[in-house]
Amino acid sequence: MEKKTLLTECPDDMGLIAKITNICHKHQLNIINNKEYVDNTHDQFFMRTELEGYFNDTTFLADLDHALPQGSKRRLISSDRKKVVIMVTKEAHCLGDILVKAFDGSLDIEIAAVVGNYNTLQGLTEKFDIPFHHVCHEGLSREEHEQKLLEAVQQYQPNYVVLAKYMRILTPNFVAQFPNKIINIHHSFLPAFIGAKPYQQAFERGVKIIGATAHFVTNDLDEGPIITQNVIPVDHSFSAAEMAKSGRDVEKSVLSKALGLVVDDRVFVHGNRTVIL
Amino acid sequence: MEKKTLLTECPDDMGLIAKITNICHKHQLNIINNKEYVDNTHDQFFMRTELEGYFNDTTFLADLDHALPQGSKRRLISSDRKKVVIMVTKEAHCLGDILVKAFDGSLDIEIAAVVGNYNTLQGLTEKFDIPFHHVCHEGLSREEHEQKLLEAVQQYQPNYVVLAKYMRILTPNFVAQFPNKIINIHHSFLPAFIGAKPYQQAFERGVKIIGATAHFVTNDLDEGPIITQNVIPVDHSFSAAEMAKSGRDVEKSVLSKALGLVVDDRVFVHGNRTVIL
Amino acid sequence: MEKKTLLTECPDDMGLIAKITNICHKHQLNIINNKEYVDNTHDQFFMRTELEGYFNDTTFLADLDHALPQGSKRRLISSDRKKVVIMVTKEAHCLGDILVKAFDGSLDIEIAAVVGNYNTLQGLTEKFDIPFHHVCHEGLSREEHEQKLLEAVQQYQPNYVVLAKYMRILTPNFVAQFPNKIINIHHSFLPAFIGAKPYQQAFERGVKIIGATAHFVTNDLDEGPIITQNVIPVDHSFSAAEMAKSGRDVEKSVLSKALGLVVDDRVFVHGNRTVIL
Amino acid sequence: MEKKTLLTECPDDMGLIAKITNICHKHQLNIINNKEYVDNTHDQFFMRTELEGYFNDTTFLADLDHALPQGSKRRLISSDRKKVVIMVTKEAHCLGDILVKAFDGSLDIEIAAVVGNYNTLQGLTEKFDIPFHHVCHEGLSREEHEQKLLEAVQQYQPNYVVLAKYMRILTPNFVAQFPNKIINIHHSFLPAFIGAKPYQQAFERGVKIIGATAHFVTNDLDEGPIITQNVIPVDHSFSAAEMAKSGRDVEKSVLSKALGLVVDDRVFVHGNRTVIL
């Protein structure tokens, strides 16, 4: 008996749930968990089906393709552990949280490597017996630096790249290598405080809540599809530095939660929005 | 074209989603929204299906009964507005919130009447042109008082009875008239602080969060199935009275939210737990 | 015995707390509650002192003025109930919440009148025996309309003006009449989604939290000092209309909380930020 | 120039703030931060004063003792880093969070050692170059085991002992060695679900929120003074095991936050309640 997850996305139509579940039934696959959603604004149907049984992928997918309308996308995903490369700069909290969660099984991932533009976090990474690549940007053009980063990352053929407070902007060339596969944590509740120094911006604006946003990276800075967000209350007594310190816990929990949803195959990207089933 | 909601609850079995959606499909009923849940601990299947189309209730339900396993319960509920009687004592905030929400359409209910053991809230109720019944408990035995309350409530044949800070305990006889149809707001995050004066208990225990719980009323005081809960932070500077004042907003929003879920036919009761789809 | 609140704001200096509390002590005024805050970025000192005793305002304030550094501001505020005028358009939830809270004492205010550019909420207002002024903007220039609004409001000499979902932008002339005395509720967690249709903007951006912000009105749209903010989680299944409906509860609780802090003399405005003691 | 924190607790009296701040002023100590609180129920005054300057502890404290009423307690605490011993059983998340936070400076503590009744977390601890003591309880009476634990802990003379998911109950003898110095994390929002298996209890009760509580350990199980609490929402779809998994993040953040407040000298214990300034 195997477990696999079927993700279906297609134009909405009458009887889709019946069609798909009939095919599962015909193949004697038990539905452990099923969630569907119809985006009525765009007439788009999304369904995530956890299945258990003996799979004949070829005939199962052929039956689905026959039944589903034109323009359908479906993926049947095995329950293999996902491989992740983490990119960092200097701050330890997000990396540390992912390292501990992978260590104790809270996140079901294999951390293939950590890549940093500084070596500040080499010691922390290597405590967990994970290779650390220091790709210094000094003396290099942006293109040269990114080429080296790309090589460091791609050698591991990761399923996902996690920017765990990686503080440089990636170029379209880098992003294009990993479409909807780079997850970033931004230290504000987007779309507030796009760009640099969001805590300083938050302090100056005098907000009473601060937050963090995990999103897929696209070529528009901090504009990619949002996966998770959370906030914490602050008050007048918080300096920008104190906001940054208090924000660490929410940043790391938001990033880890997003990563967990993604590697659990729960996140559809549709336009600039995510559907999470 | 009509809209109706189908609630299905039955022992779990393979192919249930396919069976039910096939029948909907056969009857040319469009599924606007569908959610299902399997309680693996009890092998129980729950499904809520919003349907649109031309209904032949008799044949549709007969087809379902034929397809579903023994021990199934299914209800096909029209989208008629639900009728509600509200019971109160002296506090205005929960009643006021429901009155304003029914007035502006935030809650899709008809408030048939308000019944109070004091007349404190008669003025507020009548501002909204709703009949108020003052059923004073003075000089009456508990049984006599409840008999009068019951008459006051039952003349309206309500779908649900809402205890909006009604501060007396109802007897099993009263409760038995409205199985899973009485919704109470308790001013603590149950099961903490069952019974009288929860804010005083919370103050004495020195908790840092207080909350409220909306639940169906059973014969076990504050032990019925929980529908919604929420909390707010407090600190050492809150007296019991200040907790009570701060708690009003969370009490009223928790009760209104629970009432909205119930009248929207989203709440299944299973044992002492609710499944909300 | 009277109760008054002393608000002190001045350049920071050594021994300020000692100086002020010594003067209170000398005048035999008991300090019921005291909070102070130093903004180290701007070297500014803030203190809020609740006092009880027999006041000789003139000599007490003279002693303070003698002791405090140049550039100090201090106000000794009686515990009289504040007078408020509420401005509305069509939505009932914020107005309804304030009406019920004033009715049951949760907000210690006198609602002098409600002024609307539509008459939609006249019925709700008059249920509570409060005068409603319908100042229609049709056929009038912006200036003419505002002049009529201003007259409607100013006849009541209110301490504060509350924009309870008043959906038109006020001109600098109007705002200038009530410096730091107009409180607005904006239906987003500012600075995200400034301007019109924030829920539509939030839907399109695909955010996972929505919120509301109460702030003082200045001449920069939605840029005034923030008093309170709060948020609620949403997910992909919320349309813009459903966000708006869910947002009502957070809007009204944020606005009522801000109003409570303001009329309780807890809010200092310093630059574009608030200090709340 | 040094920084120290003065904690004052005494029966409430008129002019206390003036007296204390006058003495600070007289000693030319600058007040960087000051917070006070009066518990009107018990007529008790609390004040926390962060001071900067050149300290003569003896004369400063003598002046205070002269000025304060009988029954006063005052402590002048240097800003030295606090020494902590952590006790664990098998779960990594709370320990991991504290290790990373001490590593990156988010928690200003020295972790002297980790003591476990299992050796499960030895590897994680030693990654951070911190000694781990495995004190196995097998084959030992409770008294013998605790005696060994006590020796393992006391050799480090810690300021505080942190129970980071240490799953055995400590005896009064152990607790008596560290009055108000042992911090425990309990995996429920106390006082709900005291004792064993709180997530299983929460599942069975069908609650819609779960939480965690950090508290000082006393001889009454899970009844000690609460320092911090927080909650997260759950729904019917969470099994007890899924609640436990989701609860890890809230457990660790609540414990770390409590520890931060305690080592920052912000927590007064008064009866069974904490005052946090």
Side-chain angles (χ1 to χ4, degrees):
Chain A
M1 293 265 281
E2 270 185 298
K3 285 189 182 187
K4 299 196 179 190
T5 301
L6 175 68
L7 301 186
T8 309
E9 180 183 347
C10 62
D12 192 25
D13 200 4
M14 215 173 174
L16 282 169
I17 303 173
K19 284 177 187 167
I20 298 169
T21 55
N22 281 339
I23 292 170
C24 297
H25 198 192
K26 171 186 161 193
H27 282 259
Q28 297 202 289
L29 299 170
N30 196 21
I31 297 175
I32 303 169
N33 204 303
N34 191 65
K35 282 189 182 153
E36 67 277 345
Y37 166 66
V38 177
D39 178 342
N40 290 311
T41 314
H42 306 93
D43 275 325
Q44 190 78 354
F45 173 89
F46 302 86
M47 188 157 126
R48 179 186 184 274
T49 315
E50 284 180 34
L51 295 164
E52 193 176 43
Y54 300 95
F55 289 81
N56 183 327
D57 288 21
T58 313
T59 59
F60 179 61
L61 290 173
D63 281 354
L64 280 168
D65 289 341
H66 187 72
L68 293 174
Q70 279 226 322
S72 296
K73 289 184 273 186
R74 82 290 175 283
R75 286 188 294 155
L76 186 64
I77 304 168
S78 81
S79 54
D80 293 349
R81 179 173 289 177
K82 305 295 192 298
K83 198 192 286 184
V84 167
V85 170
I86 302 173
M87 293 176 65
V88 298
T89 295
K90 290 179 173 176
E91 287 174 85
H93 55 284
C94 286
L95 175 63
D97 196 51
I98 297 172
L99 289 169
V100 172
K101 280 184 167 147
F103 175 84
D104 81 351
S106 296
L107 272 174
D108 183 27
I109 56 170
E110 178 200 338
I111 304 174
V114 176
V115 176
N117 59 327
Y118 287 85
N119 67 358
T120 314
L121 300 175
Q122 179 157 7
L124 178 62
T125 302
E126 291 177 355
K127 285 182 196 309
F128 289 84
D129 303 315
I130 290 167
F132 184 92
H133 298 266
H134 177 203
V135 182
C136 182
H137 59 267
E138 284 174 38
L140 298 182
S141 71
R142 174 173 292 270
E143 287 69 29
E144 290 167 337
H145 182 239
E146 276 217 346
Q147 185 54 39
K148 281 171 175 284
L149 283 175
L150 200 54
E151 287 163 14
V153 172
Q154 278 186 328
Q155 67 182 294
Y156 294 100
Q157 299 281 338
N159 298 101
Y160 294 100
V161 177
V162 177
L163 308 187
K165 302 285 286 182
Y166 180 74
M167 303 307 279
R168 286 169 66 90
I169 296 167
L170 296 169
T171 65
N173 179 49
F174 190 102
V175 173
Q177 306 302 311
F178 305 99
N180 290 336
K181 293 187 176 308
I182 309 175
I183 301 161
N184 183 45
I185 181 72
H186 183 76
H187 38 313
S188 82
F189 51 95
L190 288 174
F193 309 130
I194 286 175
K197 300 197 173 179
Y199 289 121
Q200 183 62 36
Q201 292 183 56
F203 172 76
E204 286 168 11
R205 181 62 189 90
V207 294
K208 303 299 185 185
I209 50 175
I210 58 173
T213 305
H215 63 97
F216 288 114
V217 174
T218 61
N219 288 327
D220 297 311
L221 178 62
D222 301 334
E223 297 277 9
I226 293 171
I227 307 166
T228 50
Q229 300 188 286
N230 206 352
V231 297
I232 50 170
V234 293
D235 64 31
H236 59 264
S237 71
F238 283 68
S239 65
E242 287 163 334
M243 286 183 185
K245 188 174 173 188
S246 291
R248 287 178 195 164
D249 265 15
V250 72
E251 290 172 22
K252 77 187 190 194
S253 73
V254 163
L255 179 59
S256 290
K257 190 174 175 195
L259 182 55
L261 293 168
V262 167
V263 301
D264 225 11
D265 303 308
R266 297 187 175 279
V267 184
F268 294 80
V269 174
H270 186 238
N272 204 42
R273 309 174 75 232
T274 59
V275 171
I276 301 181
L277 296 179
Chain B
M1 293 264 281
E2 270 185 298
K3 286 190 183 187
K4 299 195 178 188
T5 301
L6 175 67
L7 301 186
T8 310
E9 180 182 347
C10 63
D12 193 25
D13 200 3
M14 215 174 175
L16 282 169
I17 303 173
K19 282 177 188 166
I20 298 168
T21 54
N22 281 338
I23 292 169
C24 297
H25 199 190
K26 170 186 161 194
H27 283 259
Q28 297 203 288
L29 299 169
N30 196 23
I31 297 175
I32 302 170
N33 204 303
N34 192 63
K35 283 188 181 152
E36 67 276 347
Y37 165 67
V38 176
D39 178 341
N40 290 310
T41 312
H42 305 93
D43 276 325
Q44 191 79 353
F45 173 89
F46 302 86
M47 189 157 124
R48 178 185 184 275
T49 314
E50 283 180 35
L51 294 164
E52 193 176 44
Y54 298 96
F55 290 81
N56 182 328
D57 287 22
T58 313
T59 59
F60 179 61
L61 291 173
D63 282 354
L64 280 168
D65 289 341
H66 187 73
L68 292 174
Q70 280 226 324
S72 297
K73 289 183 274 186
R74 83 291 176 284
R75 285 189 294 154
L76 186 65
I77 304 168
S78 80
S79 52
D80 293 349
R81 178 172 290 175
K82 306 294 194 297
K83 199 191 285 184
V84 168
V85 169
I86 302 173
M87 292 175 67
V88 298
T89 296
K90 289 179 175 177
E91 289 175 84
H93 54 286
C94 286
L95 175 63
D97 197 49
I98 297 172
L99 289 170
V100 172
K101 279 183 166 147
F103 176 83
D104 81 351
S106 297
L107 272 173
D108 184 26
I109 56 171
E110 178 199 337
I111 305 174
V114 176
V115 176
N117 59 327
Y118 286 85
N119 67 358
T120 314
L121 299 174
Q122 178 157 7
L124 178 61
T125 302
E126 291 178 354
K127 286 183 197 307
F128 289 83
D129 301 316
I130 290 167
F132 184 93
H133 298 266
H134 178 204
V135 182
C136 181
H137 59 267
E138 283 173 41
L140 299 181
S141 72
R142 174 174 292 272
E143 287 68 30
E144 290 167 335
H145 182 240
E146 276 216 347
Q147 186 54 38
K148 283 171 174 283
L149 282 175
L150 200 55
E151 287 163 17
V153 173
Q154 278 186 326
Q155 66 183 294
Y156 295 100
Q157 299 282 337
N159 299 100
Y160 296 101
V161 176
V162 177
L163 308 186
K165 305 283 286 183
Y166 180 74
M167 303 306 279
R168 286 169 68 89
I169 297 167
L170 296 169
T171 65
N173 178 48
F174 190 102
V175 174
Q177 307 302 311
F178 306 99
N180 290 336
K181 294 189 175 307
I182 308 176
I183 302 161
N184 183 45
I185 181 73
H186 183 77
H187 38 313
S188 82
F189 50 96
L190 290 173
F193 309 130
I194 285 175
K197 299 196 176 178
Y199 290 121
Q200 183 62 35
Q201 292 183 56
F203 172 77
E204 285 167 12
R205 181 61 189 90
V207 295
K208 303 300 185 184
I209 49 175
I210 57 173
T213 304
H215 63 96
F216 288 114
V217 174
T218 62
N219 287 327
D220 297 311
L221 178 62
D222 300 335
E223 297 277 10
I226 293 171
I227 308 166
T228 50
Q229 298 188 286
N230 206 353
V231 298
I232 51 169
V234 293
D235 64 32
H236 58 264
S237 72
F238 284 68
S239 66
E242 286 162 334
M243 287 184 186
K245 188 174 172 188
S246 292
R248 287 178 194 163
D249 264 14
V250 72
E251 289 172 22
K252 77 187 189 193
S253 73
V254 162
L255 178 58
S256 289
K257 190 173 173 194
L259 182 54
L261 292 167
V262 167
V263 300
D264 225 11
D265 303 307
R266 298 187 173 279
V267 184
F268 294 79
V269 174
H270 187 236
N272 205 40
R273 309 174 76 234
T274 59
V275 171
I276 301 180
L277 296 181
Chain C
M1 292 265 282
E2 271 185 297
K3 285 190 182 186
K4 299 195 179 190
T5 301
L6 175 67
L7 302 185
T8 310
E9 180 182 348
C10 63
D12 192 25
D13 200 4
M14 215 173 173
L16 282 169
I17 303 173
K19 282 177 189 167
I20 298 168
T21 55
N22 281 338
I23 292 170
C24 297
H25 199 190
K26 170 186 161 194
H27 282 258
Q28 297 203 289
L29 299 169
N30 197 23
I31 297 175
I32 302 169
N33 204 302
N34 192 64
K35 282 190 181 150
E36 67 276 346
Y37 165 66
V38 177
D39 178 342
N40 290 310
T41 313
H42 305 94
D43 276 326
Q44 191 79 353
F45 173 89
F46 302 85
M47 189 156 126
R48 178 185 184 276
T49 314
E50 283 181 35
L51 295 164
E52 193 176 44
Y54 299 95
F55 290 82
N56 182 327
D57 289 19
T58 313
T59 59
F60 179 59
L61 290 172
D63 281 356
L64 280 168
D65 289 341
H66 187 72
L68 292 173
Q70 279 226 323
S72 298
K73 288 183 275 187
R74 82 291 176 284
R75 286 188 294 155
L76 187 64
I77 304 169
S78 81
S79 53
D80 293 349
R81 178 171 291 176
K82 305 294 193 298
K83 198 192 288 185
V84 168
V85 169
I86 302 174
M87 292 174 67
V88 299
T89 296
K90 290 179 174 176
E91 289 175 83
H93 55 284
C94 286
L95 175 63
D97 197 50
I98 298 172
L99 289 170
V100 172
K101 280 183 167 149
F103 176 83
D104 81 352
S106 297
L107 272 174
D108 184 26
I109 56 171
E110 177 200 338
I111 304 174
V114 176
V115 176
N117 59 326
Y118 287 86
N119 67 358
T120 314
L121 300 174
Q122 179 156 6
L124 178 61
T125 302
E126 291 177 356
K127 286 183 198 307
F128 289 84
D129 302 316
I130 290 167
F132 184 92
H133 299 266
H134 177 205
V135 183
C136 182
H137 59 268
E138 284 173 39
L140 298 182
S141 71
R142 175 172 292 272
E143 287 68 31
E144 289 167 337
H145 182 240
E146 276 216 346
Q147 186 53 38
K148 282 170 174 284
L149 283 175
L150 200 54
E151 286 163 16
V153 173
Q154 278 185 327
Q155 66 183 296
Y156 294 101
Q157 300 281 338
N159 299 100
Y160 295 99
V161 176
V162 177
L163 308 187
K165 304 283 286 183
Y166 180 74
M167 302 307 278
R168 287 169 66 91
I169 297 167
L170 296 169
T171 65
N173 178 49
F174 190 102
V175 173
Q177 306 303 311
F178 305 99
N180 291 336
K181 293 189 175 308
I182 308 175
I183 302 162
N184 183 45
I185 181 71
H186 183 76
H187 38 312
S188 81
F189 50 94
L190 289 174
F193 309 129
I194 285 175
K197 299 196 173 178
Y199 290 121
Q200 183 61 35
Q201 293 183 56
F203 172 76
E204 286 167 12
R205 182 61 189 90
V207 295
K208 303 298 186 186
I209 49 175
I210 57 172
T213 305
H215 63 96
F216 288 114
V217 174
T218 61
N219 288 327
D220 298 311
L221 178 63
D222 301 334
E223 297 278 10
I226 292 171
I227 307 166
T228 51
Q229 298 188 287
N230 206 353
V231 297
I232 51 169
V234 292
D235 63 32
H236 58 264
S237 72
F238 283 68
S239 65
E242 287 163 335
M243 286 183 186
K245 188 174 174 189
S246 291
R248 287 178 194 162
D249 264 15
V250 71
E251 289 172 23
K252 78 186 189 193
S253 73
V254 163
L255 178 59
S256 289
K257 190 173 175 196
L259 182 55
L261 292 167
V262 168
V263 300
D264 225 11
D265 302 307
R266 298 188 174 278
V267 184
F268 294 79
V269 174
H270 186 237
N272 205 40
R273 309 173 76 233
T274 58
V275 170
I276 300 180
L277 296 179
Chain D
M1 294 263 282
E2 271 185 298
K3 286 188 184 189
K4 299 196 180 190
T5 300
L6 175 68
L7 301 185
T8 309
E9 180 182 347
C10 62
D12 191 26
D13 200 3
M14 215 174 174
L16 282 169
I17 303 173
K19 283 177 187 166
I20 297 168
T21 55
N22 281 338
I23 292 169
C24 298
H25 199 190
K26 170 187 161 193
H27 282 258
Q28 296 202 289
L29 299 169
N30 197 21
I31 297 174
I32 302 169
N33 204 304
N34 191 65
K35 282 189 181 152
E36 67 276 346
Y37 166 66
V38 177
D39 178 342
N40 290 310
T41 313
H42 306 92
D43 275 325
Q44 191 78 353
F45 173 89
F46 303 84
M47 188 156 126
R48 179 186 184 273
T49 314
E50 285 179 36
L51 295 164
E52 192 176 44
Y54 299 96
F55 289 80
N56 183 325
D57 287 21
T58 314
T59 58
F60 180 60
L61 291 172
D63 281 354
L64 280 168
D65 289 342
H66 187 73
L68 292 173
Q70 278 226 324
S72 297
K73 290 183 272 187
R74 81 292 176 282
R75 287 188 293 156
L76 186 63
I77 305 168
S78 81
S79 52
D80 294 349
R81 178 172 291 176
K82 306 293 192 300
K83 199 192 286 184
V84 168
V85 169
I86 302 173
M87 293 176 65
V88 298
T89 296
K90 290 179 172 176
E91 288 174 85
H93 55 284
C94 286
L95 175 63
D97 196 51
I98 297 172
L99 289 170
V100 172
K101 280 185 166 147
F103 176 83
D104 82 351
S106 296
L107 273 173
D108 184 27
I109 56 171
E110 178 200 338
I111 304 173
V114 176
V115 176
N117 59 327
Y118 287 85
N119 66 359
T120 314
L121 299 175
Q122 179 156 8
L124 178 62
T125 302
E126 290 178 355
K127 285 183 198 307
F128 289 83
D129 302 317
I130 290 167
F132 184 93
H133 299 266
H134 178 203
V135 183
C136 181
H137 58 266
E138 284 173 38
L140 299 182
S141 72
R142 174 172 293 272
E143 287 69 29
E144 290 167 337
H145 182 239
E146 276 217 347
Q147 185 54 38
K148 283 171 174 283
L149 282 175
L150 200 55
E151 288 163 14
V153 173
Q154 278 186 327
Q155 67 183 296
Y156 294 101
Q157 300 281 337
N159 298 101
Y160 295 100
V161 177
V162 177
L163 308 187
K165 303 284 286 183
Y166 180 74
M167 303 306 279
R168 285 169 67 89
I169 296 167
L170 296 169
T171 65
N173 178 48
F174 189 102
V175 173
Q177 307 303 310
F178 306 99
N180 290 337
K181 293 189 176 309
I182 308 176
I183 302 161
N184 183 46
I185 181 72
H186 183 76
H187 39 313
S188 82
F189 50 96
L190 289 173
F193 310 129
I194 285 175
K197 301 198 174 179
Y199 290 120
Q200 183 61 35
Q201 292 183 56
F203 172 77
E204 286 168 10
R205 181 62 189 89
V207 294
K208 304 300 184 184
I209 50 174
I210 57 172
T213 304
H215 63 97
F216 288 114
V217 174
T218 62
N219 288 328
D220 297 311
L221 177 62
D222 302 333
E223 298 277 9
I226 293 171
I227 308 166
T228 50
Q229 300 187 286
N230 206 352
V231 298
I232 51 170
V234 292
D235 63 31
H236 59 264
S237 73
F238 284 68
S239 66
E242 286 163 334
M243 285 183 185
K245 189 175 172 189
S246 292
R248 287 178 194 164
D249 264 16
V250 71
E251 289 172 22
K252 77 187 189 193
S253 73
V254 162
L255 178 58
S256 289
K257 190 174 174 194
L259 182 54
L261 292 168
V262 167
V263 301
D264 225 12
D265 303 308
R266 297 187 174 279
V267 184
F268 295 80
V269 174
H270 186 237
N272 205 40
R273 308 174 76 233
T274 59
V275 171
I276 301 180
L277 296 180

